[in-house]
Amino acid sequence: MKQVIVYSKDNCPYCSAAKTLLSAKGVPFTEINLQNKPDELAALKARTGLRTVPQIFIGDKLIGGFSDMQKLDQEDKLDALLQGT
């Protein structure tokens, strides 16, 4: 299974939903909380071009936020992406 990283902030409902979806699927992930870390958040924004969290990476690929991951799951594409197939 590919490494999953979730960049998040406190009190973010979409961050919570993303972590809940991954946990429900039994997918281990690393959470990087950017609350009170404006320099790290700015660096992530510069890297991805996205301004919001969560930002979810599977392997080295940014898949987007919760809605993007949920759509992949609904289209039965998320599991294959996680497995690297």
Side-chain angles (χ1 to χ4, degrees):
M1 184 166 291
K2 289 190 173 183
Q3 179 184 25
V4 178
I5 300 175
V6 178
Y7 290 89
S8 67
K9 287 179 116 179
D10 295 340
N11 301 315
C12 167
Y14 290 105
C15 298
S16 296
K19 293 182 287 185
T20 298
L21 175 60
L22 290 167
S23 293
K25 294 181 81 56
V27 175
F29 61 91
T30 300
E31 178 182 9
I32 299 176
N33 190 312
L34 299 175
Q35 191 73 34
N36 300 319
K37 297 178 182 174
D39 292 341
E40 290 180 40
L41 181 58
L44 183 64
K45 287 178 184 179
R47 177 178 162 201
T48 65
L50 299 178
R51 298 179 178 202
T52 60
V53 290
Q55 291 189 36
I56 304 161
F57 286 80
I58 298 177
D60 293 334
K61 181 179 179 183
L62 171 67
I63 63 163
F66 169 69
S67 298
D68 302 302
M69 183 173 65
Q70 184 180 44
K71 182 179 178 188
L72 287 169
D73 191 43
Q74 290 170 344
E75 294 172 348
D76 293 323
K77 295 178 182 176
L78 182 59
D79 291 337
L81 191 57
L82 290 164
Q83 297 299 325
T85 58

